[in-house]
Amino acid sequence: AALKKSAVDYMHPEVGVTSTDGACFGRNYFGRASAAETEDDEFADERAEILEEASALKKLAMDYMHPEVGVTSTDGAAFGRNY
Protein backbone atom coordinates (compact mmCIF):
# COMPACT_ATOMS: atom_id res chain seq x y z
CA ALA A 1 0.00 0.00 0.00
CA ALA A 2 2.85 2.37 0.81
CA LEU A 3 4.59 1.56 -2.48
CA LYS A 4 1.38 2.26 -4.43
CA LYS A 5 0.92 5.56 -2.61
CA SER A 6 4.52 6.56 -3.41
CA ALA A 7 4.01 5.64 -7.07
CA VAL A 8 0.80 7.68 -7.29
CA ASP A 9 2.49 10.63 -5.57
CA TYR A 10 5.38 10.43 -8.05
CA MET A 11 3.23 10.11 -11.17
CA HIS A 12 0.73 12.83 -10.19
CA PRO A 13 2.62 15.85 -8.82
CA GLU A 14 -0.37 18.10 -9.51
CA VAL A 15 -2.20 16.56 -6.54
CA GLY A 16 0.12 18.34 -4.11
CA VAL A 17 0.96 17.64 -0.51
CA THR A 18 -1.54 18.00 2.28
CA SER A 19 -0.33 18.30 5.85
CA THR A 20 -1.90 19.69 9.00
CA ASP A 21 0.97 18.94 11.37
CA GLY A 22 2.35 22.15 12.87
CA ALA A 23 5.88 20.78 12.93
CA CYS A 24 5.93 20.61 9.12
CA PHE A 25 5.79 24.37 8.67
CA GLY A 26 8.94 26.46 8.91
CA ARG A 27 9.91 30.08 8.84
CA ASN A 28 11.42 31.71 5.79
CA TYR A 29 14.51 33.54 6.98
CA PHE A 30 15.22 35.09 3.59
CA GLY A 31 12.41 37.60 3.66
CA ARG A 32 10.14 39.26 6.18
CA ALA A 33 6.52 40.01 5.57
CA SER A 34 6.77 43.09 7.78
CA ALA A 35 9.66 44.62 5.81
CA ALA A 36 8.92 46.87 2.87
CA GLU A 37 10.14 45.68 -0.50
CA THR A 38 13.00 47.87 -1.66
CA GLU A 39 15.01 47.84 -4.84
CA ASP A 40 17.96 49.95 -5.93
CA ASP A 41 17.36 52.42 -8.75
CA GLU A 42 20.26 50.92 -10.68
CA PHE A 43 18.71 47.45 -10.60
CA ALA A 44 15.28 48.84 -11.49
CA ASP A 45 16.70 50.66 -14.52
CA GLU A 46 18.62 47.58 -15.64
CA ARG A 47 15.52 45.41 -15.23
CA ALA A 48 13.48 47.85 -17.32
CA GLU A 49 16.13 47.79 -20.07
CA ILE A 50 16.26 44.00 -20.07
CA LEU A 51 12.47 43.70 -20.26
CA GLU A 52 12.39 46.22 -23.11
CA GLU A 53 15.04 44.24 -25.03
CA ALA A 54 13.17 40.99 -24.40
CA SER A 55 9.96 42.54 -25.71
CA ALA A 56 11.74 43.74 -28.87
CA LEU A 57 13.32 40.30 -29.39
CA LYS A 58 9.92 38.65 -28.95
CA LYS A 59 8.42 40.94 -31.58
CA LEU A 60 11.26 40.17 -34.01
CA ALA A 61 10.88 36.44 -33.39
CA MET A 62 7.13 36.65 -34.06
CA ASP A 63 7.77 38.61 -37.27
CA TYR A 64 10.30 35.99 -38.41
CA MET A 65 8.21 32.95 -37.49
CA HIS A 66 4.93 34.30 -38.92
CA PRO A 67 5.59 35.96 -42.28
CA GLU A 68 1.93 35.55 -43.24
CA VAL A 69 1.02 38.41 -40.91
CA GLY A 70 2.62 40.92 -43.26
CA VAL A 71 3.91 44.41 -42.68
CA THR A 72 1.61 47.26 -41.72
CA SER A 73 2.80 50.81 -42.26
CA THR A 74 0.89 54.08 -42.35
CA ASP A 75 3.92 56.34 -42.82
CA GLY A 76 3.54 58.34 -46.04
CA ALA A 77 7.29 58.51 -46.54
CA ALA A 78 7.46 54.71 -46.71
CA PHE A 79 5.58 54.62 -50.02
CA GLY A 80 7.20 55.61 -53.27
CA ARG A 81 6.83 55.30 -57.00
CA ASN A 82 8.86 52.90 -59.03
CA TYR A 83 10.09 54.76 -62.10
Side-chain angles (χ1 to χ4, degrees):
L3 183 61
K4 181 177 179 181
K5 183 180 181 321
S6 296
V8 169
D9 291 343
Y10 182 77
M11 294 301 293
H12 299 285
E14 69 274 5
V15 173
V17 179
T18 56
S19 178
T20 57
D21 187 16
C24 292
F25 301 105
R27 181 174 175 190
N28 184 2
Y29 292 100
F30 298 105
R32 295 187 329 225
S34 60
E37 290 289 328
T38 59
E39 184 178 22
D40 293 336
D41 290 337
E42 179 181 325
F43 291 135
D45 294 340
E46 187 174 350
R47 175 178 284 131
E49 289 176 11
I50 291 170
L51 290 175
E52 185 177 334
E53 285 181 8
S55 175
L57 285 173
K58 181 178 179 183
K59 183 182 180 316
L60 286 173
M62 291 296 292
D63 291 344
Y64 182 78
M65 294 300 294
H66 298 284
E68 69 273 5
V69 173
V71 178
T72 57
S73 177
T74 57
D75 186 15
F79 301 105
R81 293 183 62 174
N82 187 5
Y83 289 105

Coordinates of all heavy atoms in Angstrom, one line a residue:
A1 N 0.8 -1.2 0.0 CA 0.0 0.0 0.0 C 0.9 1.3 0.0 O 0.6 2.2 -0.7 CB -0.9 0.0 1.2
A2 N 2.0 1.2 0.7 CA 2.9 2.4 0.8 C 3.6 2.6 -0.5 O 3.8 3.7 -1.0 CB 3.9 2.2 1.9
L3 N 3.9 1.5 -1.2 CA 4.6 1.6 -2.5 C 3.6 2.1 -3.5 O 4.0 3.0 -4.4 CB 5.1 0.2 -2.9 CG 5.9 0.1 -4.2 CD1 7.1 1.0 -4.1 CD2 6.2 -1.3 -4.6
K4 N 2.4 1.7 -3.5 CA 1.4 2.3 -4.4 C 1.2 3.7 -4.2 O 1.1 4.5 -5.1 CB 0.1 1.5 -4.3 CG -1.0 2.0 -5.3 CD -2.3 1.2 -5.2 CE -3.3 1.7 -6.2 NZ -4.5 1.0 -6.1
K5 N 1.1 4.1 -2.9 CA 0.9 5.6 -2.6 C 2.1 6.4 -3.1 O 2.0 7.5 -3.7 CB 0.7 5.7 -1.1 CG 0.5 7.2 -0.7 CD 0.3 7.4 0.7 CE 0.0 8.8 1.2 NZ 0.7 9.8 0.5
S6 N 3.3 5.9 -2.9 CA 4.5 6.6 -3.4 C 4.5 6.7 -4.9 O 4.9 7.7 -5.5 CB 5.8 5.8 -3.0 OG 5.9 5.8 -1.6
A7 N 4.1 5.6 -5.6 CA 4.0 5.6 -7.1 C 3.0 6.6 -7.6 O 3.2 7.4 -8.5 CB 3.7 4.2 -7.6
V8 N 1.8 6.7 -6.9 CA 0.8 7.7 -7.3 C 1.3 9.1 -7.0 O 1.1 10.0 -7.8 CB -0.5 7.4 -6.5 CG1 -1.5 8.5 -6.7 CG2 -1.1 6.1 -7.0
D9 N 2.0 9.3 -5.9 CA 2.5 10.6 -5.6 C 3.5 11.1 -6.6 O 3.6 12.2 -7.0 CB 3.1 10.7 -4.2 CG 2.1 10.5 -3.1 OD1 0.9 10.7 -3.4 OD2 2.4 10.2 -1.9
Y10 N 4.3 10.1 -7.1 CA 5.4 10.4 -8.1 C 4.8 10.7 -9.4 O 5.2 11.6 -10.1 CB 6.4 9.3 -8.1 CG 7.5 9.5 -9.1 CD1 8.6 10.3 -8.7 CD2 7.5 9.0 -10.4 CE1 9.6 10.6 -9.6 CE2 8.5 9.2 -11.3 CZ 9.6 10.0 -10.9 OH 10.6 10.2 -11.8
M11 N 3.8 10.0 -9.8 CA 3.2 10.1 -11.2 C 2.2 11.3 -11.3 O 1.9 11.7 -12.4 CB 2.5 8.8 -11.6 CG 3.5 7.7 -11.8 SD 4.8 8.0 -13.0 CE 3.8 8.1 -14.5
H12 N 1.7 11.7 -10.2 CA 0.7 12.8 -10.2 C 1.2 14.0 -9.3 O 0.6 14.1 -8.2 CB -0.6 12.3 -9.8 CG -1.2 11.2 -10.7 ND1 -1.7 11.5 -11.9 CD2 -1.2 9.9 -10.5 CE1 -2.1 10.4 -12.5 NE2 -1.8 9.4 -11.7
P13 N 2.2 14.8 -9.7 CA 2.6 15.9 -8.8 C 1.6 17.0 -8.7 O 1.7 17.8 -7.8 CB 3.9 16.3 -9.5 CG 3.7 16.0 -10.9 CD 2.9 14.7 -10.9
E14 N 0.6 17.0 -9.6 CA -0.4 18.1 -9.5 C -1.3 18.0 -8.3 O -2.0 18.9 -7.9 CB -1.2 18.2 -10.8 CG -2.1 17.0 -11.0 CD -1.5 15.8 -11.7 OE1 -0.3 15.8 -11.9 OE2 -2.2 14.8 -11.9
V15 N -1.3 16.8 -7.7 CA -2.2 16.6 -6.5 C -1.7 17.4 -5.4 O -2.5 18.0 -4.6 CB -2.3 15.1 -6.2 CG1 -3.0 14.9 -4.9 CG2 -2.9 14.3 -7.3
G16 N -0.4 17.5 -5.2 CA 0.1 18.3 -4.1 C 0.2 17.6 -2.8 O -0.1 16.4 -2.7
V17 N 0.7 18.2 -1.8 CA 1.0 17.6 -0.5 C 0.0 18.3 0.5 O -0.1 19.5 0.6 CB 2.4 17.9 -0.1 CG1 2.7 17.3 1.3 CG2 3.4 17.3 -1.1
T18 N -0.7 17.5 1.3 CA -1.5 18.0 2.3 C -1.0 17.6 3.6 O -0.6 16.4 3.9 CB -3.0 17.4 2.1 OG1 -2.9 16.0 2.2 CG2 -3.6 17.9 0.8
S19 N -0.9 18.6 4.5 CA -0.3 18.3 5.8 C -1.0 19.3 6.8 O -1.1 20.5 6.5 CB 1.2 18.5 5.9 OG 1.7 18.3 7.2
T20 N -1.3 18.8 8.0 CA -1.9 19.7 9.0 C -1.1 19.7 10.3 O -1.4 20.3 11.2 CB -3.3 19.2 9.4 OG1 -3.3 17.9 9.8 CG2 -4.3 19.4 8.2
D21 N 0.1 19.0 10.2 CA 1.0 18.9 11.4 C 1.7 20.3 11.5 O 2.3 20.7 10.5 CB 1.9 17.8 11.2 CG 2.8 17.6 12.5 OD1 2.4 18.1 13.5 OD2 3.8 16.9 12.4
G22 N 1.7 20.9 12.6 CA 2.3 22.2 12.9 C 3.9 22.1 12.8 O 4.5 23.1 12.5
A23 N 4.4 20.9 13.0 CA 5.9 20.8 12.9 C 6.4 20.8 11.5 O 7.6 20.9 11.3 CB 6.3 19.5 13.6
C24 N 5.5 20.6 10.5 CA 5.9 20.6 9.1 C 6.2 22.0 8.6 O 6.8 22.1 7.5 CB 4.9 19.9 8.3 SG 4.7 18.2 8.6
F25 N 5.7 23.0 9.2 CA 5.8 24.4 8.7 C 7.0 25.0 9.3 O 7.3 24.9 10.5 CB 4.5 25.2 9.0 CG 3.3 24.6 8.4 CD1 2.4 23.9 9.2 CD2 3.1 24.7 7.0 CE1 1.3 23.3 8.7 CE2 1.9 24.1 6.5 CZ 1.0 23.4 7.3
G26 N 7.7 25.8 8.4 CA 8.9 26.5 8.9 C 8.9 27.9 8.6 O 8.0 28.4 7.8
R27 N 9.8 28.7 9.1 CA 9.9 30.1 8.8 C 10.9 30.4 7.7 O 11.9 29.7 7.6 CB 10.4 30.8 10.1 CG 10.4 32.3 9.9 CD 10.8 33.0 11.2 NE 10.9 34.4 10.9 CZ 11.4 35.3 11.8 NH1 11.8 34.9 13.0 NH2 11.5 36.5 11.5
N28 N 10.5 31.3 6.9 CA 11.4 31.7 5.8 C 12.3 32.8 6.3 O 11.8 33.9 6.6 CB 10.6 32.2 4.6 CG 11.5 32.6 3.4 OD1 12.7 32.4 3.5 ND2 10.9 33.0 2.4
Y29 N 13.6 32.6 6.4 CA 14.5 33.5 7.0 C 15.1 34.5 5.9 O 15.9 35.3 6.2 CB 15.7 32.8 7.7 CG 15.2 32.1 9.0 CD1 15.0 30.8 9.0 CD2 14.9 32.8 10.1 CE1 14.5 30.1 10.1 CE2 14.5 32.2 11.3 CZ 14.3 30.9 11.2 OH 13.8 30.2 12.4
F30 N 14.7 34.3 4.7 CA 15.2 35.1 3.6 C 14.4 36.3 3.3 O 14.8 37.2 2.6 CB 15.3 34.3 2.3 CG 16.3 33.1 2.5 CD1 15.8 31.8 2.6 CD2 17.6 33.3 2.5 CE1 16.6 30.8 2.7 CE2 18.5 32.3 2.7 CZ 18.0 31.0 2.8
G31 N 13.2 36.4 3.9 CA 12.4 37.6 3.7 C 11.4 37.8 4.8 O 11.0 36.8 5.5
R32 N 11.1 39.0 5.1 CA 10.1 39.3 6.2 C 8.9 39.9 5.6 O 9.0 40.7 4.7 CB 10.7 40.3 7.2 CG 11.9 39.8 7.9 CD 12.3 40.7 9.0 NE 12.0 42.1 8.7 CZ 12.8 43.1 8.8 NH1 14.0 42.9 9.3 NH2 12.5 44.3 8.5
A33 N 7.8 39.4 6.1 CA 6.5 40.0 5.6 C 6.3 41.4 6.1 O 5.7 42.3 5.4 CB 5.4 39.1 6.0
S34 N 6.9 41.8 7.2 CA 6.8 43.1 7.8 C 7.7 44.1 7.1 O 7.5 45.3 7.3 CB 7.0 43.1 9.3 OG 8.4 42.6 9.5
A35 N 8.7 43.7 6.4 CA 9.7 44.6 5.8 C 9.1 45.1 4.5 O 8.5 44.3 3.7 CB 11.0 44.0 5.6
A36 N 9.4 46.3 4.2 CA 8.9 46.9 2.9 C 9.9 46.4 1.8 O 11.1 46.3 2.0 CB 8.9 48.4 2.9
E37 N 9.3 46.1 0.6 CA 10.1 45.7 -0.5 C 10.9 46.9 -1.0 O 10.3 47.9 -1.4 CB 9.3 45.1 -1.6 CG 8.7 43.8 -1.2 CD 9.7 42.6 -1.2 OE1 10.7 42.7 -2.0 OE2 9.5 41.7 -0.4
T38 N 12.2 46.8 -1.1 CA 13.0 47.9 -1.7 C 13.9 47.3 -2.8 O 14.3 46.2 -2.8 CB 13.9 48.5 -0.6 OG1 14.8 47.5 0.0 CG2 13.1 49.1 0.6
E39 N 14.2 48.2 -3.7 CA 15.0 47.8 -4.8 C 15.8 49.1 -5.2 O 15.3 50.2 -5.3 CB 14.2 47.4 -6.0 CG 15.0 46.9 -7.2 CD 14.1 46.4 -8.3 OE1 12.9 46.8 -8.4 OE2 14.6 45.6 -9.1
D40 N 17.1 48.8 -5.5 CA 18.0 50.0 -5.9 C 17.5 50.5 -7.3 O 17.0 49.8 -8.1 CB 19.4 49.5 -6.0 CG 20.0 49.1 -4.7 OD1 19.5 49.6 -3.7 OD2 21.0 48.3 -4.6
D41 N 17.7 51.8 -7.5 CA 17.4 52.4 -8.7 C 18.1 51.8 -9.9 O 17.6 51.7 -11.0 CB 17.6 53.9 -8.7 CG 16.6 54.6 -7.8 OD1 15.5 54.0 -7.5 OD2 16.9 55.7 -7.3
E42 N 19.4 51.5 -9.6 CA 20.3 50.9 -10.7 C 19.7 49.6 -11.2 O 19.6 49.3 -12.4 CB 21.7 50.7 -10.1 CG 22.6 50.1 -11.1 CD 24.0 49.9 -10.5 OE1 24.4 50.8 -9.7 OE2 24.7 49.0 -10.9
F43 N 19.3 48.7 -10.2 CA 18.7 47.4 -10.6 C 17.4 47.6 -11.3 O 17.0 46.9 -12.2 CB 18.5 46.6 -9.4 CG 19.8 46.1 -8.8 CD1 20.1 46.1 -7.4 CD2 20.9 45.6 -9.6 CE1 21.3 45.7 -6.9 CE2 22.1 45.2 -9.1 CZ 22.3 45.2 -7.7
A44 N 16.6 48.6 -10.9 CA 15.3 48.8 -11.5 C 15.5 49.3 -12.9 O 14.7 48.9 -13.8 CB 14.5 49.9 -10.7
D45 N 16.4 50.2 -13.2 CA 16.7 50.7 -14.5 C 17.2 49.5 -15.4 O 16.8 49.4 -16.6 CB 17.7 51.8 -14.5 CG 17.2 53.1 -13.8 OD1 16.0 53.2 -13.7 OD2 18.0 53.9 -13.4
E46 N 18.1 48.7 -14.9 CA 18.6 47.6 -15.6 C 17.5 46.6 -16.0 O 17.4 46.0 -17.1 CB 19.7 46.9 -14.9 CG 20.5 45.8 -15.6 CD 21.7 45.3 -14.9 OE1 22.0 45.8 -13.9 OE2 22.2 44.3 -15.4
R47 N 16.6 46.3 -15.0 CA 15.5 45.4 -15.2 C 14.6 45.9 -16.3 O 14.1 45.2 -17.2 CB 14.7 45.2 -13.9 CG 13.5 44.3 -14.2 CD 12.7 44.1 -12.9 NE 13.4 43.1 -12.2 CZ 13.7 43.1 -10.9 NH1 13.4 44.2 -10.2 NH2 14.4 42.2 -10.3
A48 N 14.3 47.2 -16.3 CA 13.5 47.8 -17.3 C 14.1 47.7 -18.7 O 13.4 47.4 -19.7 CB 13.2 49.3 -17.0
E49 N 15.4 47.9 -18.8 CA 16.1 47.8 -20.1 C 16.1 46.4 -20.6 O 15.8 46.1 -21.8 CB 17.6 48.2 -19.9 CG 17.8 49.7 -19.8 CD 19.2 50.1 -19.6 OE1 20.1 49.3 -19.8 OE2 19.5 51.3 -19.2
I50 N 16.3 45.4 -19.7 CA 16.3 44.0 -20.1 C 14.9 43.6 -20.6 O 14.7 42.9 -21.6 CB 16.7 43.1 -18.9 CG1 18.2 43.3 -18.7 CG2 16.4 41.7 -19.2 CD1 18.7 42.7 -17.4
L51 N 13.8 44.0 -19.8 CA 12.5 43.7 -20.3 C 12.1 44.4 -21.6 O 11.4 43.8 -22.4 CB 11.5 44.1 -19.2 CG 11.5 43.3 -17.9 CD1 10.6 43.9 -16.9 CD2 11.1 41.9 -18.2
E52 N 12.6 45.5 -21.8 CA 12.4 46.2 -23.1 C 13.1 45.5 -24.3 O 12.5 45.3 -25.3 CB 12.9 47.7 -23.0 CG 12.6 48.5 -24.2 CD 13.1 49.9 -24.1 OE1 13.2 50.4 -22.9 OE2 13.3 50.6 -25.1
E53 N 14.3 45.0 -24.0 CA 15.0 44.2 -25.0 C 14.3 42.9 -25.3 O 14.2 42.5 -26.4 CB 16.5 44.0 -24.6 CG 17.4 45.2 -24.7 CD 18.8 44.8 -24.3 OE1 19.1 43.6 -24.0 OE2 19.6 45.8 -24.2
A54 N 13.9 42.3 -24.2 CA 13.2 41.0 -24.4 C 11.9 41.2 -25.2 O 11.5 40.3 -26.0 CB 12.9 40.4 -23.0
S55 N 11.2 42.3 -25.0 CA 10.0 42.5 -25.7 C 10.3 42.8 -27.2 O 9.6 42.3 -28.1 CB 9.3 43.8 -25.1 OG 8.2 44.1 -25.9
A56 N 11.4 43.5 -27.5 CA 11.7 43.7 -28.9 C 12.2 42.4 -29.5 O 11.8 42.2 -30.7 CB 12.9 44.8 -28.9
L57 N 12.9 41.6 -28.8 CA 13.3 40.3 -29.4 C 12.1 39.4 -29.6 O 12.1 38.7 -30.6 CB 14.3 39.6 -28.5 CG 15.7 40.2 -28.5 CD1 16.6 39.5 -27.4 CD2 16.4 40.0 -29.8
K58 N 11.1 39.4 -28.8 CA 9.9 38.6 -29.0 C 9.2 39.1 -30.2 O 8.7 38.3 -31.0 CB 9.0 38.8 -27.7 CG 7.8 37.9 -27.8 CD 6.9 38.0 -26.6 CE 5.7 37.2 -26.7 NZ 4.8 37.4 -25.6
K59 N 9.1 40.4 -30.4 CA 8.4 40.9 -31.6 C 9.2 40.5 -32.8 O 8.5 40.1 -33.8 CB 8.3 42.5 -31.5 CG 7.6 43.1 -32.7 CD 7.5 44.6 -32.6 CE 6.8 45.2 -33.8 NZ 7.0 44.6 -35.1
L60 N 10.5 40.6 -32.8 CA 11.3 40.2 -34.0 C 11.1 38.7 -34.3 O 11.0 38.3 -35.4 CB 12.7 40.5 -33.8 CG 13.1 42.0 -33.9 CD1 14.6 42.2 -33.5 CD2 12.9 42.5 -35.3
A61 N 11.1 37.9 -33.2 CA 10.9 36.4 -33.4 C 9.5 36.1 -34.0 O 9.4 35.3 -34.8 CB 11.1 35.7 -32.1
M62 N 8.5 36.8 -33.5 CA 7.1 36.6 -34.1 C 7.1 37.1 -35.5 O 6.4 36.4 -36.3 CB 6.1 37.4 -33.2 CG 5.9 36.9 -31.9 SD 5.2 35.3 -31.8 CE 3.6 35.6 -32.5
D63 N 7.7 38.2 -35.9 CA 7.8 38.6 -37.3 C 8.5 37.6 -38.1 O 8.1 37.3 -39.3 CB 8.5 40.0 -37.4 CG 7.7 41.1 -36.8 OD1 6.5 40.9 -36.5 OD2 8.2 42.2 -36.5
Y64 N 9.5 37.0 -37.6 CA 10.3 36.0 -38.4 C 9.5 34.7 -38.6 O 9.5 34.1 -39.6 CB 11.6 35.7 -37.7 CG 12.5 34.8 -38.5 CD1 13.2 35.2 -39.6 CD2 12.6 33.4 -38.1 CE1 14.0 34.3 -40.3 CE2 13.4 32.5 -38.8 CZ 14.1 33.0 -39.9 OH 14.9 32.1 -40.5
M65 N 8.9 34.2 -37.5 CA 8.2 32.9 -37.5 C 6.8 33.0 -38.2 O 6.3 32.0 -38.6 CB 8.0 32.4 -36.1 CG 9.3 32.1 -35.4 SD 10.3 30.8 -36.3 CE 9.2 29.4 -36.1
H66 N 6.3 34.2 -38.3 CA 4.9 34.3 -38.9 C 5.0 35.3 -40.0 O 4.4 36.4 -39.9 CB 3.9 34.7 -37.9 CG 3.8 33.7 -36.8 ND1 3.1 32.5 -37.0 CD2 4.2 33.6 -35.5 CE1 3.1 31.8 -35.9 NE2 3.8 32.4 -35.0
P67 N 5.5 35.0 -41.2 CA 5.6 36.0 -42.3 C 4.2 36.2 -42.9 O 4.1 37.2 -43.6 CB 6.5 35.3 -43.3 CG 6.5 33.9 -43.0 CD 6.2 33.7 -41.5
E68 N 3.3 35.3 -42.7 CA 1.9 35.5 -43.2 C 1.2 36.8 -42.7 O 0.2 37.2 -43.2 CB 1.1 34.3 -43.1 CG 0.7 34.0 -41.6 CD 1.7 33.2 -40.8 OE1 2.8 32.9 -41.4 OE2 1.4 32.8 -39.7
V69 N 1.7 37.3 -41.5 CA 1.0 38.4 -40.9 C 1.2 39.6 -41.8 O 0.3 40.4 -41.9 CB 1.6 38.6 -39.5 CG1 1.0 39.9 -38.9 CG2 1.2 37.5 -38.6
G70 N 2.4 39.8 -42.4 CA 2.6 40.9 -43.3 C 3.1 42.1 -42.5 O 3.3 42.1 -41.3
V71 N 3.4 43.2 -43.2 CA 3.9 44.4 -42.7 C 2.8 45.5 -42.8 O 2.2 45.7 -43.8 CB 5.2 44.9 -43.4 CG1 5.7 46.2 -42.9 CG2 6.2 43.8 -43.4
T72 N 2.6 46.2 -41.7 CA 1.6 47.3 -41.7 C 2.4 48.6 -41.5 O 3.1 48.7 -40.6 CB 0.5 47.1 -40.6 OG1 1.2 47.0 -39.4 CG2 -0.3 45.8 -40.9
S73 N 2.1 49.5 -42.4 CA 2.8 50.8 -42.3 C 1.8 51.9 -42.7 O 1.2 51.8 -43.7 CB 4.1 50.8 -43.1 OG 4.6 52.1 -43.0
T74 N 1.8 53.0 -42.0 CA 0.9 54.1 -42.4 C 1.7 55.3 -42.6 O 1.1 56.4 -42.7 CB -0.2 54.3 -41.3 OG1 0.5 54.6 -40.0 CG2 -1.1 53.2 -41.1
D75 N 3.1 55.2 -42.6 CA 3.9 56.3 -42.8 C 3.9 56.7 -44.3 O 4.2 55.8 -45.2 CB 5.3 56.0 -42.3 CG 6.3 57.2 -42.4 OD1 5.7 58.3 -42.5 OD2 7.5 57.0 -42.3
G76 N 3.6 57.9 -44.6 CA 3.5 58.3 -46.0 C 4.9 58.3 -46.7 O 5.0 58.1 -47.9
A77 N 6.0 58.5 -46.0 CA 7.3 58.5 -46.5 C 7.8 57.1 -46.9 O 8.7 56.9 -47.6 CB 8.3 59.1 -45.6
A78 N 7.1 56.1 -46.4 CA 7.5 54.7 -46.7 C 7.0 54.3 -48.1 O 7.5 53.3 -48.6 CB 6.9 53.8 -45.7
F79 N 6.1 55.0 -48.7 CA 5.6 54.6 -50.0 C 6.3 55.5 -51.1 O 6.5 56.6 -50.9 CB 4.1 54.8 -50.1 CG 3.3 54.0 -49.1 CD1 2.8 54.6 -48.0 CD2 3.2 52.6 -49.3 CE1 2.1 53.9 -47.0 CE2 2.5 51.9 -48.3 CZ 1.9 52.5 -47.2
G80 N 6.6 54.9 -52.2 CA 7.2 55.6 -53.3 C 6.8 55.1 -54.6 O 6.1 54.0 -54.7
R81 N 7.1 55.8 -55.7 CA 6.8 55.3 -57.0 C 8.0 54.6 -57.6 O 9.2 55.0 -57.3 CB 6.4 56.5 -57.9 CG 5.1 57.1 -57.4 CD 4.7 58.2 -58.3 NE 4.5 57.7 -59.6 CZ 4.0 58.4 -60.6 NH1 3.6 59.7 -60.4 NH2 3.8 57.9 -61.8
N82 N 7.8 53.6 -58.4 CA 8.9 52.9 -59.0 C 8.9 53.4 -60.5 O 8.1 53.1 -61.3 CB 8.6 51.4 -59.0 CG 9.7 50.6 -59.5 OD1 10.8 51.1 -59.8 ND2 9.5 49.3 -59.6
Y83 N 10.0 54.2 -60.8 CA 10.1 54.8 -62.1 C 10.8 53.8 -63.0 O 11.8 53.5 -63.1 CB 10.8 56.1 -62.0 CG 10.0 57.2 -61.4 CD1 10.2 57.6 -60.1 CD2 8.9 57.7 -62.1 CE1 9.4 58.6 -59.6 CE2 8.1 58.7 -61.5 CZ 8.4 59.1 -60.3 OH 7.6 60.1 -59.7

